[in-house]
Amino acid sequence: MKKLVFILTVFLCSLHSYAAIHVSKVDPPCWYVGMKNPELQLMVYGEGIGDASVSVNYPGVTLSSTVKLESNNYLIVYLNLSKEVKPGKCPITFTQGKKKLVKAYELKARKKKGSDHTGFDASDALYLLMPDRFANGNPDNDIVPNMAESKVDRNDPNARHGGDLAGIEQNLDYFTDLGVTALWFTPVLENNMTGGSYHGYATTDYYKVDPRFGTNEEYRGLIEKSHQRGIKVVMDMIFNHCGVEHPWIKDMPSRDFFNNPDHQNKFVQTSFKLTPHVDPYASKYDFDQMNDGWFVTAMPDLNQKNPHIYKYLVQNSFWWIEYANIDGIRMDTYPYADYDAMSQWMKELNEEYPNYNTVGETWVTEPAYTAWWQKDSKLSAPQNSHLKTVMDFSFYDKMNTAKNEQTETWFKGLDRIYNNFVYDFLYPNPASILTFIENHDTDRFLGEGKNLPMLKQASVMLLTTRRIPQLYYGTEVMMNGTKAQSDGYVRKDFPGGWADDKENALTASGRTTQQNECYNFYKTLLNWRKGNDVIAKGDMVQFMVQNGVYAYARQYNGKTVFVMLNGTDKKTTLPLNFYKETIKESKQGKDILTGKMVQLEEELTMAPRESLVLEL
């Protein structure tokens, strides 16, 4: 009997040794020759692949090292690509005893040089939309078999509603007519989560578009068609965390891939208080909780200090630039990730793509905090984030307070906006700040109301000051809502994006009279702004509030745009000698909002909440 058992054991071991090596995934799925950094990391996943040895036989490619991880189902392979390496299929051989597997890894030619990739800037107007909530162009992908969540329920504000990339593509003419020059989608990558994944911020595959939105090819095709219309596309990325259903959680490569990996026994949540980065008196306890705590239980905190995770994320950002030709990156929860790692990423990205742009979400309403994060800031020296664009939460905060006030000369109403811009001296580059009055994480500017004059006034400032403006989908047709019940109420479906919608705000005939007034206001301002160097490049001169009016000028190459805003609910008259240095000898100005000529005599009377954008 013992002899029989021995024979069977030897036989089974023999079968195992001749079984095929299995590799189920390699990230990135392909790479591009001619990058400045010759190092390429391949993360290989397959049962027992950690036991394999690796060899490479391709001209110009050498094996640098292999790294085994705690899970034997992962193997990290580092290759070196010389400057002479040519596009083609690079054979990579995995060997385990007598078993052998050859994978043909594709090296592709770059479509354009890194310096030819240009990002968004102050000449652009970004339009933020949520793919799940804008339009459903392909109902067949609403439910995808074998994915964790199969629910589509438009009556549930926190469920998936079925919007997709096809819906966006089918409405590109809408964006062209409106006059926006860049689209920012909330994340489009796979969120194979059991619930609440419509927003896209819980990634489960960094190299795959969520099938309920479409395919990688459809994403790339949408970007190409956007470019044909002169519209850029900004990709929303998240380095701070992934989704809890990510394979890295189900089969953890190594515990140090995550901060606080023992989440099942001891969950550590971030404090959401971002000040320890800049606080000279911050305790280590407060810093670590903010930086290393998980965002929520469904979003594990990645450890960017781990060199393999860091390299994986950096390559992923480069890959999407090369593969899909995206025109910029919006990085979610920027201060929650490791500062040194993010700084190095930005440095590498700026070196590879010197004319590119990334905006980081830095949600603190104090200008000094935001300025601390911008590239070349003296406030953070000798540290340097290398982050070109930061988000102006100060403007958002002050504008949403001012909208409920009457403007006075001391910090009420639009005087808050005047004082917001006073602190531009803190920024290395004020023209590279992204500003907004609302986004997918805030109440809608209109709240539950329909105050169109105040919306127009806020939007005039948004689109004419020295900033990069960002609009939120549907504001142009007066979509409103608050987060009092849940985030879903500020992320409603765009009316007309679904075939069975009773209202269709995508067409003039489907909009109400007030919606068309709002839409046409934005259309006029945005199309006038497009290609306007005075707004994109001009200096700014602002005047202290006089008689309830906040005024400022944009000036470039002898041209002047003069903006006047009555921040009160009353008619007001003011002497124009306040603004003589800007108006000079001009006797009139063309209001681009109405097309009418405005006389600039000794004084000017403005209607309640009137906005004037005058070309002198």
Side-chain angles (χ1 to χ4, degrees):
M1 184 66 182
K2 289 183 178 180
K3 185 175 182 180
L4 179 61
V5 171
F6 176 75
I7 293 172
L8 284 172
T9 301
V10 172
F11 176 70
L12 290 172
C13 290
S14 173
L15 283 178
H16 178 71
S17 66
Y18 284 96
I21 298 176
H22 180 63
V23 170
S24 58
K25 199 173 194 302
V26 178
D27 285 341
C30 64
W31 196 243
Y32 297 85
V33 301
M35 306 291 281
K36 288 187 177 181
N37 188 338
E39 185 180 65
L40 170 62
Q41 177 206 80
L42 301 181
M43 182 176 285
V44 184
Y45 184 73
E47 186 176 356
I49 195 65
D51 291 330
S53 60
V54 180
S55 60
V56 179
N57 183 15
Y58 191 81
V61 180
T62 56
L63 176 67
S64 298
S65 64
T66 59
V67 180
K68 291 187 63 172
L69 302 173
E70 291 173 15
S71 169
N72 203 36
N73 297 325
Y74 294 89
L75 185 66
I76 295 180
V77 178
Y78 284 98
L79 303 177
N80 186 284
L81 278 56
S82 73
K83 293 181 179 179
E84 290 74 33
V85 68
K86 303 296 183 185
K89 298 291 183 68
C90 171
I92 302 175
T93 302
F94 298 88
T95 304
Q96 288 177 327
K98 296 181 180 180
K99 296 180 291 183
K100 186 175 291 187
L101 172 68
V102 179
K103 293 283 288 185
Y105 188 79
E106 187 171 12
L107 299 172
K108 295 185 175 185
R110 302 175 76 178
K111 293 182 180 180
K112 56 186 180 182
K113 296 184 298 183
S115 58
D116 292 335
H117 286 272
T118 55
F120 59 93
D121 56 30
S123 67
D124 290 303
L126 277 66
Y127 185 96
L128 163 61
L129 63 85
M130 306 195 80
D132 183 65
R133 302 299 167 92
F134 187 76
N136 188 353
N138 180 16
D140 291 340
N141 65 19
D142 288 0
I143 297 176
V144 176
N146 301 320
M147 294 201 76
E149 184 179 47
S150 59
K151 176 184 177 182
V152 173
D153 184 359
R154 293 185 67 198
N155 294 317
D156 181 351
N158 300 309
R160 283 189 173 268
H161 291 184
D164 51 29
L165 299 178
I168 297 170
E169 183 175 313
Q170 291 165 16
N171 289 288
L172 286 175
D173 287 343
Y174 175 84
F175 305 121
T176 302
D177 183 68
L178 182 60
V180 296
T181 64
L183 300 175
W184 156 23
F185 312 147
T186 51
V188 298
L189 298 185
E190 181 194 87
N191 275 224
N192 194 13
M193 302 281 287
T194 53
S197 61
Y198 72 90
H199 49 68
Y201 287 99
T203 310
T204 55
D205 191 327
Y206 282 91
Y207 285 95
K208 182 182 179 183
V209 168
D210 194 294
R212 292 159 295 192
F213 290 154
T215 65
N216 285 17
E217 292 75 19
E218 287 174 316
Y219 181 56
R220 183 165 59 179
L222 168 58
I223 293 171
E224 183 176 353
K225 290 179 180 178
S226 299
H227 289 169
Q228 291 169 2
R229 289 167 170 80
I231 297 175
K232 302 173 183 178
V233 175
V234 176
M235 190 174 193
D236 205 328
M237 295 185 180
I238 315 103
F239 281 10
N240 179 66
H241 54 262
C242 63
V244 77
E245 300 295 326
H246 194 289
W248 290 342
I249 287 289
K250 295 180 177 180
D251 183 2
M252 195 174 290
S254 291
R255 286 176 58 81
D256 64 355
F257 266 46
F258 296 94
N259 294 313
N260 296 296
D262 192 22
H263 63 287
Q264 292 178 327
N265 298 318
K266 184 182 179 183
F267 177 70
V268 178
Q269 187 170 43
T270 180
S271 64
F272 300 106
K273 295 180 179 179
L274 302 178
T275 49
H277 273 294
V278 301
D279 180 4
Y281 313 116
S283 68
K284 185 177 184 302
Y285 174 85
D286 288 336
F287 184 90
D288 290 346
Q289 185 186 7
M290 175 276 299
N291 204 64
D292 297 342
W294 289 23
F295 206 73
V296 291
T297 54
M299 298 177 181
D301 201 68
L302 294 171
N303 176 20
Q304 300 83 28
K305 293 185 286 292
N306 180 308
H308 309 305
I309 276 285
Y310 168 77
K311 184 68 176 179
Y312 183 96
L313 295 171
V314 171
Q315 284 189 172
N316 181 255
S317 64
F318 285 22
W319 189 86
W320 282 108
I321 295 172
E322 297 292 331
Y323 171 81
N325 199 18
I326 56 174
D327 303 286
I329 295 169
R330 182 266 185 181
M331 181 55 67
D332 183 65
T333 53
Y334 197 92
Y336 291 88
D338 181 71
Y339 179 94
D340 291 338
M342 299 300 282
S343 172
Q344 183 60 29
W345 166 58
M346 282 277 75
K347 186 173 184 294
E348 289 191 50
L349 189 142
N350 293 339
E351 289 172 351
E352 187 67 57
Y353 307 101
N355 300 313
Y356 209 66
N357 199 8
T358 297
V359 56
E361 181 194 29
T362 47
W363 195 335
V364 173
T365 59
E366 298 300 325
Y369 183 89
T370 309
W372 188 91
W373 284 95
Q374 194 174 44
K375 181 179 181 290
D376 299 330
S377 174
K378 294 180 180 178
L379 300 176
S380 59
Q383 297 182 107
N384 193 334
S385 71
H386 300 288
L387 176 66
K388 291 180 180 178
T389 299
V390 289
M391 294 177 70
D392 194 354
F393 278 94
S394 173
F395 179 87
Y396 152 77
D397 178 64
K398 292 173 175 59
M399 192 65 249
N400 277 271
T401 300
K403 70 183 181 183
N404 299 314
E405 299 175 334
Q406 300 298 304
T407 297
E408 300 174 3
T409 54
W410 290 101
F411 309 111
K412 287 291 184 71
L414 300 187
D415 193 55
R416 296 181 186 274
I417 309 304
Y418 166 85
N419 281 285
N420 176 73
F421 292 121
V422 164
Y423 292 98
D424 273 12
F425 73 89
L426 295 167
Y427 293 99
N429 186 3
S432 194
I433 303 169
L434 187 117
T435 198
F436 54 97
I437 60 174
E438 61 187 350
N439 64 26
H440 59 297
D441 289 323
T442 73
D443 287 348
R444 289 274 187 173
F445 183 82
L446 289 171
E448 299 293 353
K450 294 183 178 180
N451 189 339
L452 183 54
M454 195 61 233
L455 175 62
K456 286 182 178 180
Q457 201 158 75
S459 299
V460 164
M461 284 180 277
L462 178 68
L463 294 169
T464 61
T465 48
R466 196 181 178 200
R467 293 289 194 268
I468 303 171
Q470 170 248 298
L471 303 168
Y472 187 37
Y473 79 99
T475 302
E476 72 277 11
V477 293
M478 302 191 68
M479 286 180 66
N480 61 9
T482 66
K483 297 172 56 173
Q485 293 175 274
S486 74
D487 286 344
Y489 289 90
V490 300
R491 303 168 179 178
K492 298 173 185 175
D493 297 342
F494 193 101
W498 280 252
D500 58 352
D501 282 355
K502 294 180 181 179
E503 300 176 16
N504 184 7
L506 289 164
T507 65
S509 60
R511 294 190 283 266
T512 66
T513 300
Q514 192 177 43
Q515 283 177 326
N516 270 319
E517 180 185 351
C518 186
Y519 179 89
N520 291 333
F521 159 82
Y522 278 103
K523 177 180 176 178
T524 298
L525 196 51
L526 285 164
N527 281 284
W528 166 81
R529 191 185 191 281
K530 194 184 299 183
N532 190 324
D533 283 346
V534 179
I535 301 302
K537 302 176 182 178
D539 294 331
M540 181 167 165
V541 176
Q542 66 172 353
F543 295 86
M544 291 184 179
V545 168
Q546 303 285 352
N547 297 9
V549 173
Y550 171 50
Y552 56 90
R554 302 297 309 280
Q555 299 169 321
Y556 185 75
N557 278 357
K559 295 182 179 180
T560 298
V561 173
F562 190 47
V563 179
M564 303 181 72
L565 306 161
N566 178 5
T568 73
D569 293 332
K570 298 178 181 180
K571 183 170 68 174
T572 187
T573 300
L574 67 162
L576 294 184
N577 65 309
F578 291 142
Y579 316 113
K580 190 65 178 178
E581 66 187 81
T582 291
I583 295 175
K584 297 181 180 177
E585 303 305 318
S586 297
K587 298 299 182 183
Q588 60 183 6
K590 182 180 179 181
D591 179 19
I592 66 99
L593 298 176
T594 62
K596 297 179 180 179
M597 299 304 296
V598 175
Q599 300 305 310
L600 302 174
E601 303 297 342
E602 291 185 4
E603 60 182 25
L604 179 70
T605 299
M606 297 185 69
R609 295 293 176 183
E610 184 177 10
S611 303
L612 296 174
V613 181
L614 305 175
E615 288 184 323
L616 300 186

